[in-house]
């Protein structure tokens, strides 16, 4: 579930890790131009089948490699795949692997992918991202304990050939394969270290551009160039020092003193950094919404929901932050068809219209036979989330007569619990994509979705989603999803608020590094430092 999103950084894991040496070949000490000094917001966990947080994905992106990767434009590029073919029914993929090696010198084979993917769907693993394997034949039945793991639709034809069978044609399947959950693991090594795999450098095996040389728990991680990496000539950086710095102010101070080459900032430091010439703003495909609970009598009224949606000035909500106004369910920059951004089509449905909002409000109150409406707004207890809560309250109460909004801030974990238990009136929540396709957002709001806590159920919407997910014609599929989004916006159960952005501060000496917008991971393979 990548991704119910907090406005703060991902959670830490509790491990006891001592400084250790990797079992791969270690590079000699590098001159400064070959060394990067970067920061992580939290400790990491490097078992790719279990990892869930952004910091772990960030490191995995540089020490591991899968079949494909995403470039800076979210476009799918081949990683360990030399070539591939797809069957005429679009349900069988056959991948030929390029020759590559693990950091212990052993060959990376198709069997390593089969083992890792079976490990993900094994109910005993309890992998949070096992649902990403649902498109693979028998994936759901294995995850639910109905079938054994060896029934998963993936097999090694030989050491260099991997074949995957899907339940249905899946247009976004190749982008799925770029996700860390689909990385390979060497079976003998993984089983040898069992639950300790991925928690120390000597108990983790790497096949990416870098390896972990030393790992000081909750302090620092040192990466060095992987001498066994198949494309090592492309890797110019020889050493990467990753300091674990949860505090943004500390991170900013270290960058300002030249101790870090690049940092990523959230909106808490917007006012401090906004005028810097070295600041670049990057839009993430992470969206935040106002979710309405239809169990509430007032919110079960469409006119009341319309009044709330049309009152909100999205641009003013995000003033003084890196974030951008959001008017659609699917965020900008995620999904395209023939060069057209999906998010550009349904932009005008819920635009601010104060006068029309007042008309909806009076009509709704009349239907409810109520003059005063009181609603609780649940937000997480971060400073940014509280700021949005206050601004939503101010805008709504100033435009809608006799509306009282009570803003309640709770820890993020409690926010998730209350959302799951449907214990709210209004709640702010965020979602980031699991793959590059509109369905990763729109599937959330079907009647039977486990993430739909609103009580919303519309057979027309469900039908559009069902038709889209089964459709193989990309143009027709696109239209079904657009119709579904329009229906959801017209029903106004989910009210878009903002699309999250980050601020990137980067030394002018550093080139070739980029953050993948889709996964928010920083790719170091092509980095060059002058």
């Amino acid at each position: 579930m990548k991704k119910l999103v907090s406005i703060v950084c991902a959670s830490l894991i509790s491990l006891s890790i001592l400084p250790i040496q990797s079992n791969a070949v270690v590079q000699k000490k590098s001159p400064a131009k070959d060394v990067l000094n970067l920061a992580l917001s939290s400790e990491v966990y490097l078992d790719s089948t279990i990892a869930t947080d952004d910091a772990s994905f960030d490191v995995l992106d540089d020490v591991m490699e899968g079949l494909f990767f995403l470039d800076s434009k979210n476009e799918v590029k081949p990683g360990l795949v030399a070539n591939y073919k797809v069957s005429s029914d679009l349900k069988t993929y056959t991948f030929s692997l390029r020759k590559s090696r693990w950091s212990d010198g052993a060959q990376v084979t198709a069997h390593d992918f089969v083992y890792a993917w079976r490990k993900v769907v094994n109910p005993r693993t309890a992998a949070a991202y096992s649902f990403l394997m649902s498109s693979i034949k028998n994936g759901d039945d294995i995850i639910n304990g109905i079938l054994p793991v060896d029934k998963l639709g993936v097999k090694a034809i030989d050491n260099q050939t991997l074949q995957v069978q899907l339940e249905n044609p899946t247009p976004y399947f190749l982008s799925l394969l770029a996700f860390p959950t689909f990385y390979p693991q060497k079976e003998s090594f993984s089983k040898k270290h069992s639950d300790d795999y991925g928690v120390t450098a000597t108990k983790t095996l790497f096949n990416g551009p870098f390896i972990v040389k030393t790992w000081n728990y909750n302090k620092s991680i040192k990466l060095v160039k992987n001498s066994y990496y198949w494309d090592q000539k492309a890797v110019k950086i020889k050493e990467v020092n990753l300091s674990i710095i949860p505090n943004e102010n500390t991170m900013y101070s270290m960058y300002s003193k030249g101790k870090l080459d690049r940092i990523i900032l959230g909106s808490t430091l917007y006012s401090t950094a906004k005028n810097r010439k070295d600041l670049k703003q990057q839009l993430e495909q992470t969206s935040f919404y106002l979710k309405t609970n239809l169990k509430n009598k007032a919110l079960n009224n469409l006119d009341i929901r319309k009044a709330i949606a049309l009152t909100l000035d999205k641009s003013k909500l995000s003033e003084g932050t890196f974030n951008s106004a959001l008017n659609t369910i699917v965020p900008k920059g995620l999904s395209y068809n023939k060069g057209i951004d999906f998010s550009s089509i349904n932009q005008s449905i819920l635009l601010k219209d104060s006068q029309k909002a007042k008309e909806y409000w009076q009509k709704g109150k009349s239907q409810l036979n109520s003059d005063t409406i009181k609603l609780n707004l649940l937000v997480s207890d971060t400073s940014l989330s509280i700021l949005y809560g206050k601004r939503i309250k101010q805008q709504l109460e100033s435009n809608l007569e006799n509306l009282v909004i009570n803003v309640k801030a709770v820890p993020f974990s409690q926010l998730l619990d209350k959302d799951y238990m449907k214990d709210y009136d209004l709640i702010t929540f965020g979602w980031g994509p699991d793959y590059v396709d509109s369905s990763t957002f729109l599937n959330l709001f079907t009647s039977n979705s486990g993430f739909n806590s609103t009580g919303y159920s519309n057979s027309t919407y469900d039908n559009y989603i069902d038709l889209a997910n089964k459709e193989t014609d990309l143009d027709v599929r696109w239209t079904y999803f657009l119709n579904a989004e329009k229906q959801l916006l017209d029903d106004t159960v989910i009210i878009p608020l903002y699309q999250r952005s980050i601020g990137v501060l980067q030394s002018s000496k550093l080139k070739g590094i980029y953050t993948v917008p889709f996964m928010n991971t920083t790719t170091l393979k092509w980095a060059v430092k002058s």
Side-chain angles (χ1 to χ4, degrees):
M1 60 204 156
K2 193 181 179 203
K3 280 226 234 124
L4 281 169
V5 184
S6 168
I7 296 182
V8 291
C9 298
S11 61
L12 300 171
I13 55 174
S14 298
L15 304 170
S16 180
I17 302 174
L18 299 174
I20 32 158
Q21 296 291 321
S22 162
N23 53 8
V25 177
V26 174
Q27 308 293 325
K28 294 181 180 180
K29 188 173 181 180
S30 310
K33 70 177 183 179
D34 296 329
V35 177
L36 292 184
N37 297 299
L38 304 173
L40 292 171
S41 60
S42 66
E43 187 53 87
V44 303
Y45 185 38
L46 299 183
D47 183 340
S48 57
T49 66
I50 301 176
T52 61
D53 63 281
D54 287 346
S56 296
F57 288 156
D58 217 8
V59 178
L60 281 167
D61 181 66
D62 294 309
V63 299
M64 293 293 295
E65 186 162 278
L67 297 173
F68 295 91
F69 68 91
L70 297 178
D71 67 10
S72 60
K73 298 179 180 179
N74 277 348
E75 294 180 357
V76 179
K77 302 295 182 181
L80 295 186
V81 169
N83 56 74
Y84 70 96
K85 59 183 180 181
V86 187
S87 62
S88 58
D89 65 358
L90 306 180
K91 291 168 63 175
T92 301
Y93 286 71
T94 304
F95 302 101
S96 296
L97 306 184
R98 66 174 81 251
K99 290 188 179 295
S100 62
R101 290 195 284 172
W102 289 105
S103 52
D104 65 355
Q107 184 180 357
V108 178
T109 72
H111 301 280
D112 299 326
F113 286 94
V114 173
Y115 166 73
W117 296 8
R118 287 178 175 176
K119 181 179 173 183
V120 171
V121 298
N122 192 326
R124 289 180 295 180
T125 304
Y129 283 108
S130 62
F131 72 93
L132 293 180
M133 302 279 179
S134 294
S135 58
I136 300 176
K137 186 176 180 180
N138 297 327
D140 279 338
D141 284 343
I142 297 169
I143 293 167
N144 293 324
I146 299 171
L147 291 175
V149 295
D150 61 3
K151 296 298 182 181
L152 186 67
V154 55
K155 64 179 178 179
I157 304 299
D158 55 44
N159 280 348
Q160 298 302 118
T161 310
L162 181 72
Q163 188 174 86
V164 184
Q165 289 183 295
L166 304 182
E167 288 283 1
N168 296 293
T170 307
Y172 53 86
F173 183 61
L174 296 185
S175 74
L176 260 182
L177 298 180
F179 204 78
T181 307
F182 289 86
Y183 288 162
Q185 284 188 8
K186 184 180 175 184
E187 182 173 4
S188 59
F189 191 93
S190 176
K191 286 184 174 179
K192 175 183 177 181
H193 297 292
S194 188
D195 292 343
D196 290 332
Y197 183 84
V199 302
T200 71
T202 55
K203 294 180 180 179
T204 312
L205 213 52
F206 313 102
N207 76 324
F210 299 92
I211 63 168
V212 176
K213 178 184 177 183
T214 59
W215 192 344
N216 294 282
Y217 174 67
N218 217 24
K219 292 183 179 180
S220 64
I221 297 172
K222 177 176 285 189
L223 309 181
V224 296
K225 183 176 178 178
N226 183 0
S227 62
Y228 286 123
Y229 181 53
W230 70 271
D231 195 23
Q232 61 175 287
K233 289 183 179 180
V235 183
K236 306 303 180 185
I237 297 297
K238 294 183 179 179
E239 183 178 301
V240 182
N241 298 307
L242 299 170
S243 299
I244 298 173
I245 310 172
N247 187 288
E248 264 196 353
N249 289 299
T250 302
M251 196 183 296
Y252 181 77
S253 175
M254 290 181 67
Y255 174 82
S256 299
K257 295 175 181 178
K259 295 181 179 180
L260 294 173
D261 294 310
R262 186 180 195 266
I263 61 172
I264 295 176
L265 299 177
S267 289
T268 53
L269 284 176
Y270 174 83
S271 59
T272 302
K274 65 179 180 180
N275 294 322
R276 293 187 63 122
K277 293 181 179 180
D278 53 352
L279 175 69
K280 293 183 178 180
Q281 191 167 327
Q282 180 171 309
L283 194 66
E284 293 182 346
Q285 274 74 61
T286 300
S287 300
F288 284 79
Y289 313 94
L290 189 64
K291 191 188 299 188
T292 64
N293 190 342
L294 301 189
K295 288 197 307 181
N296 181 285
K297 183 179 179 181
L299 293 174
N300 196 40
N301 182 286
L302 176 60
D303 291 312
I304 295 296
R305 299 197 303 273
K306 289 279 191 183
I308 291 172
L310 298 187
T311 290
L312 294 174
D313 186 325
K314 316 295 182 52
S315 296
K316 288 187 176 180
L317 284 180
S318 288
E319 279 184 353
T321 76
F322 290 119
N323 303 324
S324 303
L326 180 70
N327 296 308
T328 54
I329 304 299
V330 177
K332 181 181 179 181
L334 178 75
S335 180
Y336 293 86
N337 185 38
K338 298 178 180 178
I340 300 174
D341 191 320
F342 188 96
S343 71
S344 67
I345 306 300
N346 289 321
Q347 279 284 330
S348 62
I349 296 174
L350 292 181
L351 291 179
K352 178 180 180 290
D353 188 330
S354 298
Q355 184 56 43
K356 200 168 185 178
K358 289 178 180 179
E359 294 172 7
Y360 278 124
W361 185 247
Q362 293 303 324
K363 183 179 177 182
K365 288 201 301 180
S366 177
Q367 292 166 353
L368 294 168
N369 194 28
S370 176
D371 184 58
T372 300
I373 294 177
K374 296 181 180 180
L375 298 172
N376 293 319
L377 169 59
L378 202 62
V379 301
S380 68
D381 62 355
T382 66
S383 57
L384 187 60
S385 188
I386 292 171
L387 173 65
Y388 273 99
K390 289 179 178 179
R391 288 179 175 179
I392 291 169
K393 172 184 170 68
Q394 188 277 324
Q395 289 190 17
L396 293 179
E397 290 183 344
S398 63
N399 190 59
L400 303 178
E401 186 180 16
N402 293 335
L403 171 62
V404 178
I405 299 290
N406 174 41
V407 180
K408 184 177 182 181
V410 299
F412 184 61
S413 59
Q414 189 176 339
L415 186 85
L416 295 183
D417 289 341
K418 286 185 172 292
D419 177 58
Y420 179 77
M421 298 299 294
K422 303 178 177 62
D423 183 18
Y424 65 90
D425 296 333
L426 299 167
I427 188 171
T428 57
F429 83 110
W431 188 264
D434 296 305
Y435 45 86
V436 185
D437 189 73
S438 302
S439 62
T440 191
F441 286 89
L442 296 175
N443 283 348
L444 298 174
F445 307 111
T446 58
S447 299
N448 61 355
S449 168
F451 296 104
N452 180 7
S453 65
T454 64
Y456 176 67
S457 180
N458 184 314
S459 59
T460 301
Y461 180 81
D462 292 347
N463 188 50
Y464 280 137
I465 296 298
D466 185 56
L467 290 170
N469 286 331
K470 292 178 179 178
E471 182 58 57
T472 58
D473 185 301
L474 295 183
D475 291 336
V476 175
R477 184 175 184 271
W478 171 270
T479 301
Y480 282 142
F481 276 134
L482 283 173
N483 289 340
E485 183 184 59
K486 182 179 184 304
Q487 184 68 59
L488 189 58
L489 292 170
D490 284 339
D491 290 338
T492 324
V493 176
I494 306 298
I495 302 171
L497 295 176
Y498 66 92
Q499 185 167 346
R500 190 168 67 182
S501 294
I502 56 173
V504 178
L505 291 175
Q506 180 173 310
S507 167
S508 59
K509 297 179 180 179
L510 185 57
K511 309 292 182 183
I513 189 172
Y514 68 88
T515 297
V516 180
F518 159 61
M519 293 196 300
N520 195 28
T521 55
T522 301
T523 298
L524 306 180
K525 176 178 176 178
W526 294 278
V528 177
K529 187 178 178 184
S530 60

